[in-house]
Amino acid sequence: MKRRLTTQLPRVQTSPSAARATLMDFEHGLPPERLSDAELLLSELVSNAVKYGGEGDISVIFERDDGRFRTEVVDQGDGFIAPLRDCSDVDTPGGWGLPLVQTLSDRWGAHQGSTHVWFEFAL
């Protein structure tokens, strides 16, 4: 059975926490270790949206269907191509969000020219 939930969050510092609380209320079906990964990735993407998202609310979409869990974060910012991070430089703060999404998710992507980023986990 397909489950989907869309929520709107304001661009404020507490939005990552609100997004995680909404995830906990959603029937995500994730085992504990994957839930921790999903919370981290969600926090990173919503934090980016708060910081860089332009005007307007942030949309967060949770979906569970056909053996997968998917999260999408959409904001009103201008799309950009994130520079590749030198992962050997662990002392420089910031810039870890998308490398974490790439490393921890089973699949991920961004709609070209937008700030609509998604990640998936197999269930």
Side-chain angles (χ1 to χ4, degrees):
M1 172 187 274
K2 184 174 185 173
R3 292 171 179 84
R4 183 178 173 100
L5 173 68
T6 301
T7 188
Q8 301 294 313
L9 301 171
R11 289 187 57 241
V12 296
Q13 293 297 323
T14 57
S15 288
S17 175
R20 289 190 307 272
T22 303
L23 171 60
M24 296 307 294
D25 290 338
F26 182 71
E27 294 181 52
H28 49 72
L30 294 166
E33 65 277 3
R34 296 305 266 175
L35 178 57
S36 294
D37 290 344
E39 288 179 306
L40 175 61
L41 301 184
L42 177 61
S43 292
E44 290 290 335
L45 294 180
V46 172
S47 293
N48 283 350
V50 167
K51 190 171 181 179
Y52 305 112
E55 299 299 320
D57 289 342
I58 301 162
S59 296
V60 179
I61 304 160
F62 300 110
E63 186 175 277
R64 178 181 173 191
D65 186 30
D66 201 27
R68 69 173 173 82
F69 168 77
R70 180 181 178 110
T71 298
E72 301 179 40
V73 177
V74 185
D75 64 55
Q76 304 305 312
D78 295 327
F80 67 97
I81 298 173
L84 292 176
R85 177 164 181 97
D86 178 2
C87 291
S88 66
D89 180 14
V90 297
D91 295 325
T92 301
W96 289 104
L98 292 180
L100 281 171
V101 171
Q102 182 175 3
T103 300
L104 296 177
S105 67
D106 293 331
R107 290 179 7 126
W108 78 282
H111 295 259
Q112 186 171 354
S114 74
T115 50
H116 184 157
V117 182
W118 58 269
F119 64 87
E120 289 183 355
F121 294 113
L123 297 176

